[in-house]
Amino acid sequence: MKSEVKKSNAGRKPVPDKKVQVSMYVLSSQIEKFGGLDEFKQALYDFVALRSQNGA
């Protein structure tokens, strides 16, 4: 008699909207105008979120 082995469900779960890495080269003086790297990143995230809400 063969015993049936169940397949494990371990592993990565499917994600409907995957993240994509984007490389940008920005002058450090422009980043400092935003108050540093963290503030610059947050401004970019906010900009992308705003544009996606407006349908652009």
Side-chain angles (χ1 to χ4, degrees), residues 26-36 40:
V26 181
L27 296 173
S28 59
S29 61
Q30 291 178 337
I31 293 173
E32 291 305 317
K33 288 180 183 177
F34 277 88
F40 180 72

Side-chain angles (χ1 to χ4, degrees), residues 12 14-22 45:
R12 293 182 182 245
V15 178
D17 194 7
K18 294 182 181 183
K19 295 179 180 179
V20 177
Q21 183 176 355
V22 178
Y45 289 133

Side-chain angles (χ1 to χ4, degrees), residues 1-16:
M1 285 174 68
K2 288 185 177 181
S3 62
E4 292 186 29
V5 179
K6 283 187 115 180
K7 182 181 173 189
S8 172
N9 286 333
R12 293 182 182 245
K13 304 297 181 220
V15 178

Side-chain angles (χ1 to χ4, degrees), residues 30-47:
Q30 291 178 337
I31 293 173
E32 291 305 317
K33 288 180 183 177
F34 277 88
L37 186 58
D38 291 334
E39 288 80 7
F40 180 72
K41 286 181 186 179
Q42 188 59 50
L44 288 174
Y45 289 133
D46 293 342
F47 174 77

